[in-house]
Amino acid sequence: MKLRYSIALSLPLASASAMAADLALKLDVPQLNVAEYHRPYIAAWLENADQKVVANIAVLYDTKKKDNAGTKWLKDMRQWWRKTGRELSMPMDGVSGATKAPGEITLNAPKGALDNLPAGQYTVLVEASREAGGREVVKVPLAWPPKSAASVNGQGKEELGAVVVQVKP
């Protein structure tokens, strides 16, 4: 007769906030020398290895238009719109905000948005689109969760300059 024993160990788990990692983006939005300059709409999101959206990081658009009319132009960020934008209601707390003037912009992932993200390879995507201008997408690969503080860089060509993804465990 075989006896089998099973032992269950109960270990205290660290709180979610202790295990949470931070992700921030630093974007360079260039001042373009054009006759009619409009601030770009910008969307930033995170995709897993299967190219499925796992988190929206930020959506910057014209929030001051009457009756939320700025949302009409969100579809011009075509890749973001097709992947996740058309399913969202704007404004999104902690994600959406007003367009920014040219220069360096810092965007932080919303608190708690990445807490339950499984370990693996991801891509941060940043898409910018401007009225009477162009559209551009910059992709930056990223391993999650970060083992130490690190920065990963991407580079735009026209609508975006440097895109720096900063992570902290």
Side-chain angles (χ1 to χ4, degrees), residues 23-28 104-105 107 124 126 138 140 150-155 161-167:
L23 183 145
L25 300 175
K26 286 194 184 273
L27 311 177
D28 178 37
E104 186 175 273
I105 300 170
L107 304 170
V124 174
V126 180
V138 175
V140 181
S151 292
V152 186
N153 301 323
Q155 182 65 45
V163 174
V164 180
V165 179
Q166 299 175 321
V167 293

Side-chain angles (χ1 to χ4, degrees), residues 3-65:
L3 294 175
R4 292 188 181 185
Y5 295 96
S6 127
I7 301 173
L9 296 175
S10 178
L11 301 174
L13 296 175
S15 70
S17 62
M19 294 173 48
D22 292 324
L23 183 145
L25 300 175
K26 286 194 184 273
L27 311 177
D28 178 37
V29 177
Q31 172 67 56
L32 302 175
N33 188 16
V34 294
E36 186 179 345
Y37 181 83
H38 296 273
R39 292 179 177 186
Y41 279 30
I42 297 174
W45 69 100
L46 189 66
E47 290 184 357
N48 63 16
D50 295 331
Q51 298 180 341
K52 302 275 190 244
V53 176
V54 294
N56 279 288
I57 298 168
V59 180
L60 305 181
Y61 68 101
D62 192 343
T63 58
K64 294 185 181 186
K65 288 196 177 223

